[in-house]
Amino acid sequence: MSFFRRRELYVAITFITGLLTIFDYFISFDALNNTAAALRNWVVLIAYFAIVLGLVNTFVFHGRRVFRKGQQWVYSAWLLFVVVSITLIGIFSGTNHPIYSFLFTNVYGALGPSGYGIMAFFIASAAFRALRARSFEALILLTAVVFTLLYRAPVGGIMPFIPQIGDWIQSVPSAGGMRGIIIGMAIGAIGMGLRTLLGYERGYLPE
Amino acid sequence: MIFVEGTIIATIILAFIWLAMIYNIERAKGGKLPRIRAIPALNAIDEAVGRAAEMGGRVLFVNGIGDLTSVSGPETVAGLAVLRYLSKCCAESGIEVVAPLTQAQVIPVASEAMRTGFIEAGNPEAFQEDNIRYVSSSQWGLATSCMGIIGREKAVSSVLVGAFAGECLAIVSAGAEAGVFQIGGCGRNTTQMPWFVSMCDFSLIGEEVYAAGAYLSRDPLELGSLVGQDYGKILTAGLIILGYILYIFGSKALYNILGM
Amino acid sequence: MVVMLILMIIPAVNPLGIPIPISDYTREVYNYIENLPSGSIIVVANNVDVALWPEEETFAKALFWHLGEGPHKFVIVNFGADSPLLISGALTDINFEISFPNKKYGDDYVLMGFLAGGETAMASFATNPQGVFEQDFYGTPIEQLSIMKELKGASDIDLIVHITGSDADSPVRQWVETFHIPYAAAPTIGWVPTYMPYYNAGQLVGLIAGVQGGAEYELLIGRPGSGLAINDALSLAFLFTILLAILGNIDHLISRLKGG
Amino acid sequence: MADMLSTLSPWIGVLVTIGFWSYLYKENPLFRVVEFTFIGFATAHATVMAITELKKNLVAPIVNKSNYILLVPTVLGLLLYTRYSKDLRFLERFPISIMVGIGTGVAVRAMVRAQLLAQIQQTIQPGKPIDGLIIALLTLGSVTYFIFSSEEGLPKSTIPFYNGLRRIGRIAIMAAMGAAFGNLCVTRYTMAISRIMEAVKLFIG
């Protein structure tokens, strides 16, 4: 059994699957492409198994809170009630059940737009506190924000020069800065890839 | 067996960067210590932990909404390397780190990373499985629960590294309003970076996120691999200069070659 | 924040009608539809998810109103899981059946369900629009829908109007470059930059830029509505944000002068 | 019951918004109810979806088409649950190392051509020469900004030039951040306004 405990074994698995996926993109060869496709399909299935792991984690965490009457245990109890009842409804009556679809539209569907919406207020307060010209760089940030806002505001369309300045900021300085970030990001991911495949990376598979 | 059209140059570039990294790793093995500039955001992790210890609070760690199996995989793993280091610091100072997760597949990996951090600090008993919390696979589950943790559980500092989307603004704003000391960044989603840059005390962007694990490890071999990545950037810069000169002379040669 | 809230509520209750200019690319979509020969078939393709819908709702409703008044037929196809429900909601909201009694469902317009598979689905729809569906969104078998009989292949589609919350790559690659169908895009504002190069290259019939484009469209069809109110509120909120940024900087300057 | 639910429905939507937004004032019980209900529903929803997909893509092919090779991912999936046993928990590393391998592969292969090469190509074939030159310079600067090696290794005379380039890079990155900040405001503000309008419609009619 100690063989299965060795870190090298798992690094090797990562190395092989990773390299296979990369070669699949560059080389057209049936056996390789089919294996890679099958492997990707498997991983999707494994990920579905993992989701149930999330359910278990939820039960353990909130169950313990309720059991020990810990912080917010009443809310935890309510959460567990929702999880259990909705899971059962979903599995046995399908997602078209009125209660399921009711919660789907009005809670699940409404929270996203509300969440995006609440940010408008956060942004407003950030505009006051975070956009201060403490340095030259911060001044550039502030200027870009102000002109982009004017450019994007419907009313900006009738102000003189704003559309031209806005266009220029979008297509020249912003494009230049973004490009460097994207190039760096690509190289970063490529480098991270090699470290992961060779087992240097420490985010997973600790000793 | 043939190359897929349009991937020859990509393969060469990939091979170049990887060989440059291996070369520098080997050099580091030979005893030549790579010199790396400071990344202030990563150095600030100690300060984040210090503050939490001083005020008797906790540290919130957010890994974003990325999973392991898609393009966001490396970002997620990079975030977990930060979690491991952060856990080690926290364990040394005797404080807790709370990590809400949206991807159930990350639970085992995050839990191992945190546990290892506690073991490295020589304090494995202090590790609590309960601090790894699954908060549904929705980004809004993450946003509301982080807001809740900031509001209810005395989170004094927060570290956000991973793959983020729209929810990150809600989390960092809630943190900023509450006066939480924040270090944050994401690697790939360029549209969300401004929030980290403008609202966090320290921010990481793009490549710095991917380099976090190697940087924090202080392991010469990993630092060597970062120097290898620099070769890739120098190559890119060279290609841009060469390509622009060719463009001035009206040639599209390099443009066409890169598309091969 | 209260001020912000009030500024957003005022136009909702009573639109101010801040004038907005109509962009060329919005007008081009309108004109293209106006100039199509009567009885043309327009495909309204959709992939917007529920969280981004508020940005697209304005245009969707204005478009259906325009199509209802016009002499054309239209087929609604969905490439996003949430879209069919959102679209049927939009049709109900504008009372399509009552407002336009001469448009017969099944003969003049039809709402199809969700086609999974992203770009692959877009390609297979263009190849064989009849073959990819067995029934419409409401469960009517496709044999009973006379409009679908006219739609045999890509050449029967006179225009695709694409209401979308994602980037330009796949629709342009498939519908424009492969099948050469006239194509008008209506992306959310975040994705507009990805469509711009194709628009500038003349590959798009026109472009509707998010809620702003939607409001312009409302003006074109002569039915100013929620889109204009949203735009009023946007203008106010943006100006207010800028004011806050300026106040923040004044505050900063004063404290520096005092301190320094 | 369906009738009752449909009358309730817009009110619940507005209540969710109010609950969420009330956080702006302070963390409170209504926010907590929204938070826990949402997480509960979303967890259940993900589970239901996962089970449906497993039935369709795993159980059905095995039972109906005797596609026994799919037993491999089944075993791998189940190995994730060994983490609840102290002695066997290391076995969870099997599925995880495969997942990480695939994720790494997918990310690396997507980056080289679609990101790295495409960005270089766009920079060296600009539409307008003067803007193009500025973009190229700013791109060079921001690429330099990410160089990790410290400048100690460089010849003394080039250090000011190198640092200048990095400074340009920082400024370009800030401009990009500012523009992205402004662009994103449109989406966020539209969402806020549309939620408010829904509420206003409900209260005023």
Side-chain angles (χ1 to χ4, degrees):
Chain A
M1 276 310 253
S2 68
F3 172 71
F4 291 108
R5 287 181 187 272
R6 292 180 63 130
R7 189 169 184 269
E8 291 81 8
L9 171 67
Y10 301 100
V11 173
I13 293 176
T14 308
F15 182 79
I16 293 166
T17 49
L19 230 46
L20 193 78
T21 315
I22 294 172
F23 282 140
D24 169 52
Y25 183 73
F26 292 120
I27 294 167
S28 149
F29 177 59
D30 280 352
L32 173 74
N33 303 140
N34 294 341
T35 319
L39 210 53
R40 276 204 300 283
N41 181 28
W42 286 8
V43 162
V44 172
L45 295 171
I46 299 174
Y48 287 129
F49 275 100
I51 287 181
V52 186
L53 196 66
L55 187 72
V56 178
N57 181 291
T58 308
F59 270 105
V60 173
F61 176 68
H62 291 283
R64 209 175 283 170
R65 268 193 177 176
V66 175
F67 197 67
R68 295 188 187 151
K69 301 256 187 314
Q71 288 174 322
Q72 278 93 42
W73 70 272
V74 185
Y75 298 98
S76 288
W78 164 246
L79 187 148
L80 288 177
F81 169 74
V82 174
V83 172
V84 174
S85 51
I86 296 300
T87 309
L88 292 179
I89 291 176
I91 291 174
F92 294 107
S93 319
T95 50
N96 290 326
H97 189 277
I99 293 182
Y100 197 100
S101 60
F102 175 78
L103 284 173
F104 183 83
T105 336
N106 297 301
V107 178
Y108 195 74
L111 202 83
S114 308
Y116 280 122
I118 197 175
M119 295 175 190
F121 303 100
F122 282 139
I123 292 172
S125 97
F128 183 71
R129 285 186 298 103
L131 289 181
R132 300 189 168 186
R134 288 188 184 87
S135 62
F136 184 65
E137 278 82 357
L139 180 68
I140 296 283
L141 179 80
L142 172 71
T143 318
V145 171
V146 168
F147 278 104
T148 310
L149 282 176
L150 281 175
Y151 170 63
R152 290 292 183 207
V155 69
I158 52 171
M159 291 182 188
F161 303 118
I162 292 297
Q164 289 81 359
I165 297 175
D167 256 347
W168 187 80
I169 290 181
Q170 297 285 323
S171 59
V172 181
S174 159
M178 268 317 173
R179 246 172 231 174
I181 297 176
I182 295 173
I183 289 171
M185 156 203 103
I187 294 176
I190 292 167
M192 171 99 194
L194 182 71
R195 280 195 297 278
T196 309
L197 297 187
L198 296 182
Y200 285 117
E201 198 51 53
R202 300 162 172 243
Y204 89 118
L205 283 189
E207 280 75 3
Chain B
M1 207 161 95
I2 46 151
F3 269 99
V4 175
E5 207 190 315
T7 58
I8 296 174
I9 297 297
T11 317
I12 295 173
I13 301 255
L14 180 62
F16 173 83
I17 297 174
W18 279 6
L19 288 175
M21 290 171 69
I22 292 172
Y23 168 72
N24 278 289
I25 293 174
E26 291 303 321
R27 248 163 71 119
K29 270 186 196 160
K32 182 128 178 44
L33 283 187
R35 274 186 295 207
I36 298 289
R37 71 174 166 90
I39 302 179
L42 293 173
N43 295 344
I45 291 180
D46 298 333
E47 191 185 343
V49 175
R51 280 197 188 206
E54 212 171 280
M55 297 170 70
R58 304 167 158 207
V59 181
L60 169 68
F61 174 82
V62 192
N63 191 28
I65 56 163
D67 58 11
L68 299 173
T69 57
S70 70
V71 194
S72 56
E75 259 173 303
T76 307
V77 177
L80 296 173
V82 176
L83 173 62
R84 174 171 166 183
Y85 179 80
L86 178 67
S87 307
K88 177 169 157 261
C89 298
C90 286
E92 280 164 355
S93 308
I95 54 174
E96 280 181 49
V97 45
V98 187
L101 298 173
T102 50
Q103 294 290 344
Q105 47 182 275
V106 180
I107 297 174
V109 198
S111 155
E112 279 310 297
M114 198 190 276
R115 183 199 303 276
T116 315
F118 276 79
I119 293 172
E120 281 170 342
N123 196 1
E125 314 80 55
F127 169 71
Q128 291 178 25
E129 190 83 46
D130 262 3
N131 285 334
I132 299 281
R133 297 179 194 167
Y134 175 68
V135 292
S136 90
S137 52
S138 157
Q139 60 182 135
W140 299 112
L142 183 66
T144 51
S145 73
C146 288
M147 289 160 76
I149 291 171
I150 290 169
R152 288 189 298 264
E153 301 190 17
K154 264 190 104 175
V156 174
S157 316
S158 73
V159 178
L160 308 94
V161 184
F164 285 88
E167 71 293 332
C168 73
L169 172 58
I171 304 171
V172 292
S173 306
E177 294 281 325
V180 175
F181 180 83
Q182 307 192 92
I183 302 167
C186 61
R188 216 165 40 81
N189 193 342
T190 49
T191 53
Q192 303 299 339
M193 289 174 189
W195 312 130
F196 292 115
V197 172
S198 62
M199 296 199 198
C200 289
D201 298 270
F202 287 92
S203 59
L204 290 165
I205 46 178
E207 193 173 3
E208 294 169 335
V209 168
Y210 294 103
Y215 181 85
L216 291 172
S217 75
R218 301 266 165 217
D219 172 8
L221 304 190
E222 293 187 43
L223 294 178
S225 76
L226 293 184
V227 176
Q229 283 173 223
D230 286 347
Y231 287 35
K233 273 162 276 181
I234 295 165
L235 174 72
T236 311
L239 287 174
I240 291 175
I241 296 171
L242 180 66
Y244 200 83
I245 293 173
L246 286 174
Y247 163 74
I248 293 172
F249 289 106
S251 160
K252 273 185 96 172
L254 188 62
Y255 180 87
N256 294 334
I257 291 175
L258 291 180
M260 272 165 69
Chain C
M1 280 186 203
V2 180
V3 182
M4 187 82 163
L5 191 66
I6 293 169
L7 283 178
M8 286 180 171
I9 291 177
I10 295 170
V13 181
N14 186 7
L16 306 171
I18 298 174
I20 54 168
I22 295 174
S23 338
D24 289 341
Y25 37 80
T26 308
R27 197 185 297 276
E28 280 160 11
V29 177
Y30 176 82
N31 289 344
Y32 195 91
I33 294 177
E34 284 288 291
N35 295 335
L36 279 175
S38 146
S40 299
I41 299 183
I42 296 171
V43 168
V44 182
N46 246 290
N47 54 332
V48 179
D49 67 36
V50 68
L52 288 172
W53 181 240
E55 256 200 85
E56 291 292 316
E57 194 176 7
T58 312
F59 172 66
K61 287 180 184 169
L63 175 71
F64 291 135
W65 194 270
H66 186 203
L67 292 176
E69 287 178 335
H72 312 303
K73 302 178 177 184
F74 62 100
V75 176
I76 306 165
V77 198
N78 299 288
F79 297 95
D82 297 342
S83 343
L85 268 174
L86 298 171
I87 291 287
S88 73
L91 288 172
T92 320
D93 277 354
I94 62 169
N95 272 325
F96 195 86
E97 278 172 53
I98 298 157
S99 310
F100 304 104
N102 55 339
K103 292 274 172 192
K104 282 227 169 52
Y105 185 83
D107 299 336
D108 297 314
Y109 73 103
V110 65
L111 171 60
M112 309 307 288
F114 164 50
L115 267 186
E119 187 170 338
T120 328
M122 290 178 175
S124 40
F125 172 73
T127 321
N128 182 6
Q130 295 167 326
V132 289
F133 295 104
E134 284 175 13
Q135 54 190 30
D136 71 355
F137 176 61
Y138 305 107
T140 324
I142 190 161
E143 294 79 35
Q144 294 172 24
L145 304 164
S146 69
I147 184 172
M148 290 307 283
K149 295 203 181 92
E150 298 174 39
L151 211 56
K152 295 185 201 76
S155 58
D156 298 320
I157 304 173
D158 296 300
L159 172 68
I160 293 186
V161 182
H162 190 199
I163 300 174
T164 172
S166 61
D167 69 313
D169 284 1
S170 21
V172 172
R173 192 159 42 220
Q174 293 306 329
W175 293 334
V176 180
E177 287 168 358
T178 311
F179 292 96
H180 308 291
I181 306 170
Y183 172 74
T188 49
I189 214 83
W191 293 114
V192 170
T194 68
Y195 286 85
M196 264 312 178
Y198 300 108
Y199 173 78
N200 290 332
Q203 290 180 295
L204 266 55
V205 165
L207 189 69
I208 309 278
V211 71
Q212 210 167 326
E216 292 169 19
Y217 210 86
E218 283 182 344
L219 278 182
L220 283 170
I221 62 166
R223 284 190 84 248
S226 69
L228 287 175
I230 292 182
N231 270 298
D232 284 350
L234 269 181
S235 287
L236 288 181
F238 277 10
L239 295 178
F240 181 63
T241 310
I242 294 172
L243 181 73
L244 282 175
I246 294 170
L247 287 178
N249 276 289
I250 293 174
D251 183 53
H252 173 61
L253 215 62
I254 291 173
S255 63
R256 252 201 10 199
L257 287 177
K258 271 187 191 160
Chain D
M1 188 166 82
D3 279 354
M4 195 185 81
L5 286 180
S6 68
T7 7
L8 261 179
S9 128
W11 293 97
I12 297 292
V14 169
L15 201 67
V16 166
T17 305
I18 294 174
F20 200 160
W21 290 11
S22 66
Y23 185 89
L24 290 169
Y25 173 62
K26 71 192 264 250
E27 203 274 339
N28 65 79
L30 184 60
F31 174 80
R32 263 174 249 172
V33 172
V34 171
E35 173 193 341
F36 282 76
T37 313
F38 179 82
I39 294 178
F41 182 84
T43 305
H45 181 60
T47 312
V48 171
M49 290 296 137
I51 290 175
T52 319
E53 292 295 326
L54 282 178
K55 265 198 236 163
K56 203 165 73 190
N57 298 321
L58 186 79
V59 179
I62 293 178
V63 175
N64 303 337
K65 294 184 192 151
S66 311
N67 195 348
Y68 292 116
I69 188 88
L70 287 180
L71 288 173
V72 182
T74 312
V75 172
L76 287 172
L78 291 174
L79 283 181
L80 284 172
Y81 294 84
T82 56
R83 65 191 316 267
Y84 296 103
S85 143
K86 254 203 174 111
D87 298 328
L88 293 175
R89 77 178 296 159
F90 63 92
L91 286 173
E92 73 183 11
R93 293 179 172 187
F94 262 111
I96 287 169
S97 43
I98 294 178
M99 293 201 282
V100 173
I102 301 270
T104 306
V106 168
V108 167
R109 68 187 211 177
M111 290 295 170
V112 196
R113 196 163 65 137
Q115 308 286 355
L116 186 59
L117 289 177
Q119 294 298 329
I120 300 177
Q121 281 184 309
Q122 282 173 24
T123 313
I124 62 176
Q125 214 45 238
K128 299 174 194 155
I130 300 195
D131 283 353
L133 184 63
I134 303 175
I135 297 178
L137 189 66
L138 296 179
T139 309
L140 277 182
S142 54
V143 170
T144 318
Y145 174 77
F146 286 104
I147 287 183
F148 294 120
S149 311
S150 71
E151 67 266 25
E152 289 161 35
L154 287 172
K156 273 246 154 40
S157 57
T158 54
I159 289 181
F161 171 75
Y162 170 78
N163 283 337
L165 207 54
R166 285 194 54 171
R167 184 85 199 272
I168 293 175
R170 273 234 300 281
I171 292 171
I173 290 172
M174 281 301 161
M177 293 293 106
F181 189 116
N183 285 339
L184 233 69
C185 286
V186 183
T187 323
R188 304 301 181 252
Y189 283 23
T190 311
M191 297 300 166
I193 294 163
S194 75
R195 293 310 296 168
I196 292 172
M197 287 194 172
E198 202 139 297
V200 168
K201 246 191 263 166
L202 205 62
F203 287 113
I204 302 177

